[in-house]
Amino acid sequence: MKAEFAVMGKALSSSFPQLCKFEAMDRIAVFAGSFDPFTVAHLALVKRASAIFDRVIVVVGKNVLKHSLLTVETRMRFIEKATADLKNVTVDSHDGLTVDYMKKSGAKFLVRGIRSSVEFEAERNLAWNNQTLFPDAETVFLQIEPQFAAISSTAVREILHFGGDVSKMVPKEFYADLIHETEKPSCSD
């Protein structure tokens, strides 16, 4: 994409070609997490990020410290359903450091949702570590809207475990599929 500038109706490129010929770079952001499962809070953040960045890649990571409710493939399928109307959003998976994925994908921005000052402290430390590993990485903190502040994947998993209603906590696009998946014998403890 070549940018052209004009002053008083005359294109600057004819007078200053060396200043006016550049390619605009896509602002690519990564929104990484385990998303087990993806919630309406996650979706709200993705929608906001998609309005800020040219491309947003939702990266489903495998958290080795957590027992997963859903497979990575199922989580990706659910996120794709929930974000289908967001044309600049794609979904991928990665097993490793987020900054390594950012380097591979050309992303310079990492989107993180913040619910509280305690989360901010932890996320800020992660951002500093990420910048040490990948100096081009810039973490963008988005404050979660108040109506989503209590919604987390952990809460959804616990409510599902006890048979509670999570219909207002996960995107409607895959709610029925989530219930079907979690009723399978292999998903119960």
Side-chain angles (χ1 to χ4, degrees):
M1 169 189 248
K2 191 165 93 173
E4 293 287 336
F5 297 94
V7 175
M8 295 173 52
K10 185 174 180 181
L12 284 178
S13 58
S14 59
S15 304
F16 304 100
Q18 70 280 7
L19 297 177
C20 298
K21 292 185 179 177
F22 66 90
E23 295 293 316
M25 291 178 31
D26 278 347
R27 292 168 303 160
I28 304 170
V30 164
F31 181 44
S34 57
F35 306 117
D36 189 30
F38 193 72
T39 68
V40 292
H42 294 132
L43 181 57
L45 288 170
V46 170
K47 285 179 178 181
R48 289 169 57 204
S50 74
I52 297 169
F53 298 101
D54 298 313
R55 287 183 49 216
V56 176
I57 309 168
V58 180
V59 179
V60 179
K62 182 176 182 184
N63 189 333
V64 294
L65 301 177
K66 292 182 182 177
H67 172 72
S68 298
L69 174 69
L70 304 167
T71 66
V72 169
E73 295 76 19
T74 299
R75 287 179 261 163
M76 289 177 64
R77 190 175 78 247
F78 288 176
I79 297 166
E80 286 168 349
K81 281 185 173 189
T83 61
D85 64 327
L86 302 171
K87 300 306 176 202
N88 64 336
V89 174
T90 57
V91 181
D92 201 358
S93 66
H94 182 68
D95 188 9
L97 295 174
T98 302
V99 292
D100 290 339
Y101 184 89
M102 292 175 69
K103 291 174 190 176
K104 180 180 86 171
S105 66
K108 302 283 190 221
F109 301 96
L110 179 61
V111 173
R112 300 301 295 165
I114 302 293
R115 285 183 278 234
S116 68
S117 60
V118 173
E119 264 189 4
F120 174 75
E121 294 291 323
E123 290 291 344
R124 183 190 60 196
N125 291 339
L126 284 173
W128 287 338
N129 289 329
N130 286 335
Q131 219 162 27
T132 298
L133 296 170
F134 181 37
D136 291 342
E138 192 66 53
T139 301
V140 178
F141 298 109
L142 296 178
Q143 185 173 338
I144 293 176
E145 293 104 331
Q147 68 269 29
F148 302 127
I151 298 173
S152 68
S153 295
T154 302
V156 171
R157 285 194 308 272
E158 186 170 347
I159 293 166
L160 278 171
H161 179 78
F162 290 105
D165 179 13
V166 296
S167 62
K168 291 182 173 51
M169 301 174 85
V170 298
K172 65 182 181 313
E173 291 84 356
F174 67 78
Y175 171 72
D177 295 333
L178 175 64
I179 298 305
H180 177 74
E181 281 289 325
T182 56
E183 288 175 345
K184 290 180 179 178
S186 62
C187 292
S188 62
D189 289 341

